[in-house]
Amino acid sequence: MATRGHWGSNAGFILAAVGGAVGLGNLWGFAYSASQGGGAAFVVLYLLFVFFIGLPVLTAELVIGRHTGKSPVEAMLAVGGRRWKWLGFVFVIAGFGILSFYSVIMGWTGRLLVEFLRGTVPIDTAAHFGAISEGPGAIVAHLIGMLITVFVIIGGVQKGIERVSVVLMPVLFLLIAALAVWAATLSGAGPGYAFYLRPDLSQVFHTKTITGAAGQAFFSLSLGMGAMITYASYLSGRGNLAAQAGIIALSDTVVAFVGGLVTFPIIYHFGLQAEVSDSAIGALFIAVPRGFLSLGGGGQVVGVVFFLALYIAALTSGISLLEVVASALIDSLGWTRERAGWVAGGAIALGGIPGALSSDWVGFLFQLFGQVFLVFGGVMLALLVGYVWTAQARAELLKGFPSPALAEGWIWLLRTFVPVMLAITLFFAVLALGPVVSALLS
Ligand code: PHE
């Protein structure tokens, strides 16, 4: 069997993992949930969840990945024995399911990027989005996204994923920072910030807001489906995994927060509030482009920067999703990376076609795989590390982490708060499938 890939440097690993985490979910999902769920109060709640749920699970994934040096299915077998191997398959199915809708949204993003470049976005952005989001054009855009993703994967861990992440992530940070500075100059900036961050405690104590924040944090950090296990399996040595998890979680959260500082000034400046409350997707692909168009030539430049940032964010997340599926084929079936990349990518390209024909299907896949599957995976991982594979996990963490007391705190969270909160979140995520399914059937 071919030798496994590995990262060229710790920084390369961290940039790749941040690239996997920072995605479409950050640039819109977070700000949207915050605006609907109590502004600054939501932000505080979200930070608590990132710290007390996201960080422990992320650390658990990194510990499993580095210790086993295996892709999710084999890693679950190595850590939990035969009785846990199925969980690895659940991860692979989640990766398949998420990428099959994610790549469709990535396609919409790419389409708007090209149209802003060429200056051909029509004034009626709502009708335009309706036309490009479903049908042959959406299929082509989805396939192009999958093709780029496959090319990166088959390039290898170091020469493909790491090289792309090391170049694209700094570019992404610069683009987002530039957008935030530009947005601050808009006359709508003040009211936009005020709305985004208005501390409204009455919203925060709703079960929906609370479980929504937990679900959003999980999706945003790419947890519960083995993406972080897979990336950490290419690590060696004795680095401080808790610190690395902290850097990844912090970067992801900062980008999500700054994303809101970009979008809300735009919405208020151009008076797009009504369209935004309809749906997150509508805001991103209909309201924001309309705002840019009203600025003329300057708006075209901003449109290019905005959709380029979005595309980069989506691409690096897509790469981490495909890597979960491909690495399972490489490790479990002994396939070459080329073969695994093309077969997995090809299958997901086909599996994504229904989403390119119906955006209700995209919504359904997000709720099923992006919420239910991930949160379920998180519950299982917490129980596995908290109760079954605890001693080895502790020892692996302590290799690079000098505090036994904090390690105990980590295990305590994985035994108690994390699975309980995630089980409640799971319950509401399953309930939320109802409306999505009826939208699909209507
Ligand atoms: N974290 C990504 C985002 O915020 C989505 C994702 C989920 C990517 C799970 C990989 C695995 O858009």
Side-chain angles (χ1 to χ4, degrees):
M1 230 171 61
T3 50
R4 280 190 110 240
H6 56 86
W7 302 112
S9 69
N10 264 332
F13 159 67
I14 288 175
L15 285 171
V18 172
V22 172
L24 295 162
N26 296 63
L27 285 179
W28 185 255
F30 172 78
Y32 184 73
S33 316
S35 72
Q36 306 291 307
F42 179 93
V43 174
V44 172
L45 186 71
Y46 181 85
L47 289 178
L48 290 175
F49 284 159
V50 167
F51 196 82
F52 289 106
I53 300 178
L55 203 53
V57 176
L58 176 54
T59 307
E61 290 206 22
L62 298 188
V63 164
I64 294 174
R66 186 177 74 183
H67 184 87
T68 59
K70 293 193 161 103
S71 62
V73 178
E74 300 304 312
M76 286 304 105
L77 182 66
V79 161
R82 281 172 185 276
R83 291 172 60 199
W84 284 85
K85 193 176 175 184
W86 62 273
L87 185 57
F89 289 114
V90 171
F91 292 161
V92 173
I93 294 169
F96 193 106
I98 295 176
L99 188 52
S100 68
F101 76 82
Y102 207 80
S103 160
V104 172
I105 306 181
M106 185 167 143
W108 301 341
T109 309
R111 175 83 182 248
L112 277 166
L113 169 60
V114 171
E115 290 178 341
F116 266 110
L117 271 170
R118 298 173 53 195
T120 57
V121 184
I123 286 292
D124 187 349
T125 51
H128 182 61
F129 181 64
I132 64 167
S133 60
E134 298 175 344
I139 295 181
V140 171
H142 150 68
L143 294 179
I144 293 174
M146 282 306 303
L147 205 60
I148 302 174
T149 311
V150 169
F151 275 128
V152 176
I153 290 291
I154 64 179
V157 175
Q158 202 173 332
K159 296 222 170 78
I161 304 174
E162 181 170 351
R163 199 151 68 178
V164 165
S165 308
V166 166
V167 175
L168 289 187
M169 291 320 289
V171 172
L172 175 63
F173 296 147
L174 281 178
L175 294 179
I176 294 176
L179 284 167
V181 170
W182 168 78
T185 65
L186 295 174
S187 64
Y193 297 145
F195 179 75
Y196 173 30
L197 297 172
R198 78 189 183 291
D200 183 355
L201 275 178
S202 67
Q203 296 288 325
V204 145
F205 295 106
H206 291 182
T207 332
K208 267 209 171 140
T209 308
I210 297 174
T211 56
Q216 168 69 27
F218 234 65
F219 183 77
S220 185
L221 292 170
S222 304
L223 298 175
M225 56 147 296
M228 294 296 172
I229 296 180
T230 308
Y231 273 12
S233 76
Y234 305 124
L235 275 175
S236 48
R238 313 170 67 84
N240 185 340
L241 291 179
Q244 290 171 353
I247 296 173
I248 296 166
L250 183 70
S251 315
D252 186 70
T253 307
V254 169
V255 173
F257 183 77
V258 176
L261 299 181
V262 174
T263 37
F264 281 94
I266 296 177
I267 289 159
Y268 272 77
H269 188 75
F270 300 106
L272 305 164
Q273 295 87 325
E275 287 158 87
V276 172
S277 56
D278 286 353
S279 81
I281 291 285
L284 200 51
F285 293 102
I286 297 171
V288 170
R290 176 166 314 147
F292 293 156
L293 285 181
S294 68
L295 288 178
Q300 190 182 343
V301 176
V302 183
V304 169
V305 173
F306 186 86
F307 283 98
L308 180 61
L310 214 54
Y311 202 78
I312 292 175
L315 175 65
T316 48
S317 292
I319 291 168
S320 75
L321 287 159
L322 183 59
E323 181 63 15
V324 170
V325 183
S327 73
L329 295 174
I330 297 171
D331 279 2
S332 298
L333 301 180
W335 287 11
T336 62
R337 184 164 271 281
E338 283 71 27
R339 184 169 176 196
W342 284 114
V343 171
I348 296 170
L350 281 179
I353 288 180
L357 294 173
S358 149
S359 40
D360 284 338
W361 183 250
V362 170
F364 167 71
L365 292 181
F366 168 74
Q367 191 58 33
L368 179 63
F369 292 110
Q371 295 289 283
V372 172
F373 265 64
L374 293 192
V375 175
F376 173 76
V379 175
M380 289 297 143
L381 280 170
L383 298 177
L384 175 61
V385 173
Y387 290 100
V388 180
W389 189 67
T390 316
Q392 298 93 320
R394 182 190 293 114
E396 181 68 34
L397 181 70
L398 286 175
K399 276 187 190 170
F401 183 65
S403 169
L406 274 181
E408 286 322 303
W410 171 59
I411 287 167
W412 183 83
L413 280 173
L414 288 176
R415 287 186 170 172
T416 55
F417 183 67
V418 172
V420 169
M421 274 307 301
L422 287 178
I424 299 172
T425 304
L426 179 62
F427 176 77
F428 283 93
V430 171
L431 281 189
L433 273 174
V436 194
V437 170
S438 45
L440 199 60
L441 297 178
S442 68

